[in-house]
């Protein structure tokens, strides 16, 4: 829906995925006037294609604090976003299929313990099969987080968008931003068709397209667009409760309460940033399903009802670009969540809103700095 925007706002949000919507909600709640511009429709890309896993398990150490704090916000989704967003607490289990993988998980556990985190725990074979009896019998153990979860991506998009609107955010869909430049006391966002949006601060939350906006202000980042693939099966009898991942095999899997099984794991299709289109690579889909059957033989006869992909920006170090621009005062970057930004999205909005108000959000954003690629 298109609405008339005020001449100058406190915060201009570029991109109406869950990151941009979350920033709009948090900033409006903090009293800022906000206009969000979305090139297509809100949630059109990664945010609605997402698997919805809310995972603090096996996070890059730089992201653990964010992921643990984001979990608290997901639990408060009804208060924050007027809807439960389909959020359900669920353990996440990272399975080791052989001794080498088990050693990898032990090393991971030692590393996070050294950093002061104790949310992950290692379980052996017996405890693993007590939890997941349907697993193929070659597995050795797993790393587990008990209080992770998952949510419904599309439901979340609608809830975040509704909340933003109810807080007075102007949402302009089918309105691509073309450039951001500094002006005294703020920024100018040039919109397609020649219009301009003036703001004190702008946030680049353009997902896979965020790298292009950053490059246009002289901030080259090592981020590539990737079409991540997902599959969902027809309902099968209940066989697994936790969300399952594996150490050393590309697989993530969870079963819904209706019995359908959602399968992913990072297999890539083809992404076209210019058109926004993506195509499946069926060899990858086939391998992904073979991985699922290798872990869960019960799926051998399950029928696939749908496969899809969504375009996501993936950084060379698998970390988002989050923090102030170094070239345009008043511009904040929040893009390239590298395949795991859904889990963080309620929190990233708060971090962006704090940055926009010059407040200390308490997180170390140095690992996410836009100029880290140049340093490398
Ligand atoms: C298939 C798949 C499965 C995933 N599974 C998980 C998971 O289980 N757990 C997890 O944590 N994460 C997961 N992710 C990652 C997660 O979904 C993303 O990190 C997150 O949704 C990113 O949100 P975003 O708002 O940054 O990007 P997007 O949702 O892509 O939003 C960016 C928006 O910006 C708009 N835009 C682009 N250019 C412009 C412009 N110039 N002007 C205005 N608007 C513009 C786009 O149209 C788009 O709507 C998955 C991603 C995919 C694709």
């Amino acid at each position: 829906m298109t609405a008339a925007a005020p001449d100058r706002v406190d915060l201009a949000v570029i991109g109406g995925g869950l990151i941009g919507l979350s920033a709009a909600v948090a900033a409006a709640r903090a009293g800022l006037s906000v206009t969000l511009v979305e090139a297509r429709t809100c949630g059109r890309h990664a945010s609605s294609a997402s698997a919805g896993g809310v995972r603090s398990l096996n996070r890059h150490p730089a992201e653990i604090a964010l992921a643990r704090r984001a979990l608290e916000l997901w639990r408060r989704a009804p208060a924050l976003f007027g809807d439960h967003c389909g959020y359900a607490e669920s353990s996440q289990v990272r399975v080791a299929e052989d001794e080498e993988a088990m050693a990898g998980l032990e090393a991971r556990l030692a590393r996070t313990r050294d950093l002061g985190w104790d949310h992950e725990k290692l379980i052996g074979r017996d405890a693993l099969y007590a939890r997941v009896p349907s697993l193929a019998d070659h597995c050795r153990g797993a790393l587990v987080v008990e209080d992770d979860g998952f949510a419904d991506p599309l439901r979340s998009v609608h809830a975040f968008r509704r909340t933003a609107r109810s807080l007075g955010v102007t949402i302009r869909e089918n309105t691509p931003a073309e450039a951001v430049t500094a002006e005294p006391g703020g920024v100018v966002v040039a919109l397609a068709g020649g219009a301009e949006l003036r703001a004190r601060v702008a946030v680049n939350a353009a997902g896979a397209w965020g790298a292009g906006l950053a490059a246009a202000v002289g901030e080259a980042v090592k981020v590539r667009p990737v079409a991540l693939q997902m599959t969902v099966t027809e309902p099968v009898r209940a066989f697994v409760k936790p969300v399952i991942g594996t150490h050393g095999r590309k697989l993530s899997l969870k079963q819904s309460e209706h019995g359908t099984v959602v399968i992913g794991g990072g297999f890539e299709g083809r992404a076209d940033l210019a058109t926004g289109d993506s195509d499946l690579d069926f060899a990858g889909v086939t391998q992904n399903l073979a991985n699922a059957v290798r872990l869960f033989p019960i799926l051998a006869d399950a029928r696939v009802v749908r496969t899809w992909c969504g375009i996501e920006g993936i950084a060379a170090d698998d970390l988002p670009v989050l923090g102030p621009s170094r070239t345009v005062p008043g511009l904040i970057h929040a893009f390239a969540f590298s395949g795991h930004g859904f889990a963080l999205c309620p929190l990233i909005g708060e971090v962006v809103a704090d940055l926009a108000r010059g407040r200390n959000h308490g997180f170390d954003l140095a690992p996410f700095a836009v100029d880290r690629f140049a340093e490398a």
Side-chain angles (χ1 to χ4, degrees):
M1 180 171 173
T2 304
D7 289 345
R8 189 175 195 272
V9 289
D10 293 322
L11 180 67
V13 179
I14 302 170
L18 284 166
I19 298 294
L21 288 167
S22 171
V25 166
R29 191 164 275 143
L32 305 193
S33 57
V34 183
T35 292
L36 179 151
V37 293
E38 160 56 47
R40 306 281 288 265
T41 50
C42 288
R44 165 69 181 78
H45 287 290
S47 293
S48 58
S50 184
V54 177
R55 172 177 63 79
S56 64
L57 172 66
N58 202 48
R59 281 269 169 184
H60 188 294
E63 284 188 323
I64 295 175
L66 294 169
R68 294 302 297 169
R69 172 79 180 120
L71 275 166
E72 294 170 23
L73 302 187
W74 277 113
R75 290 182 201 121
R76 290 173 46 217
L80 294 172
F81 304 109
D83 189 88
H84 55 63
C85 297
Y87 182 73
E89 192 161 298
S90 163
S91 59
Q92 295 246 0
V93 172
R94 185 171 175 87
V95 174
E97 293 184 72
D98 53 31
E99 289 309 324
E100 193 186 339
M102 202 60 191
L105 294 183
E106 282 163 9
R108 159 77 192 181
L109 186 72
R111 191 171 175 214
T112 44
R113 287 281 146 90
D114 282 351
L115 293 169
W117 295 104
D118 62 1
H119 58 292
E120 295 174 343
K121 72 176 184 191
L122 198 63
I123 59 171
R125 185 185 155 83
D126 291 348
L128 174 60
Y129 284 94
R131 243 169 226 267
V132 195
S134 53
L135 261 181
D137 63 9
H138 65 280
C139 300
R140 302 298 164 94
L143 200 61
V144 177
V145 170
E146 302 288 7
D147 62 352
D148 274 343
F150 57 85
D152 179 332
L154 195 55
R155 192 170 176 132
S156 303
V157 167
H158 289 311
F160 283 36
R161 186 177 180 281
R162 264 195 319 270
T163 305
R165 288 182 63 81
S166 74
L167 290 166
V169 174
T170 300
I171 296 179
R172 300 175 64 184
E173 295 186 320
N174 300 306
T175 306
E178 293 190 331
V180 183
T181 48
E183 67 171 7
V187 292
V188 182
V189 181
L191 304 175
E196 288 180 338
L197 172 61
R198 300 193 127 69
R200 194 170 54 72
V201 177
V203 56
N204 168 13
W209 292 263
L213 286 173
V217 296
E219 302 190 287
V221 292
K222 288 187 183 157
V223 171
R224 63 191 184 97
V226 171
L228 293 174
Q229 305 191 144
M230 300 296 309
T231 296
V232 61
T233 71
E234 66 182 0
V236 297
R237 78 167 168 78
F239 70 94
V240 62
K241 277 209 165 122
V243 181
I244 302 289
T246 47
H247 192 78
R249 189 189 291 274
K250 282 165 82 167
L251 178 67
S252 72
L253 179 150
K254 64 173 167 288
Q255 186 171 30
S256 75
E257 60 182 331
H258 314 293
T260 57
V261 185
V262 177
I263 300 167
F267 285 89
E268 299 181 14
R270 286 169 289 277
D272 183 343
L273 276 191
T275 61
D277 293 338
S278 54
D279 272 326
L280 291 159
D281 167 32
F282 282 99
V285 173
T286 304
Q287 184 58 53
N288 198 180
L289 298 179
N291 287 353
V293 173
R294 171 77 179 131
L295 266 285
F296 293 101
I298 187 177
L299 286 173
D301 297 324
R303 281 187 303 194
V304 166
V305 291
R306 191 163 81 91
T307 54
W308 70 95
C309 48
I311 303 179
E312 167 82 324
I314 301 212
D317 56 8
D318 268 343
L319 292 175
V321 178
L322 177 62
S325 161
R326 308 293 192 210
T327 59
V328 178
L331 177 63
I332 298 165
H333 295 298
F335 66 91
F337 281 81
S338 300
H340 34 252
F342 182 84
L344 305 182
C345 66
L347 176 65
I348 300 304
E350 296 194 353
V351 170
V352 169
D354 282 343
L355 287 172
R357 290 182 299 153
R359 297 209 174 179
N360 182 1
H361 41 73
F363 293 98
D364 176 14
L365 301 187
F368 315 127
V370 65
D371 55 1
R372 69 185 189 267
F373 305 96
E375 285 161 11

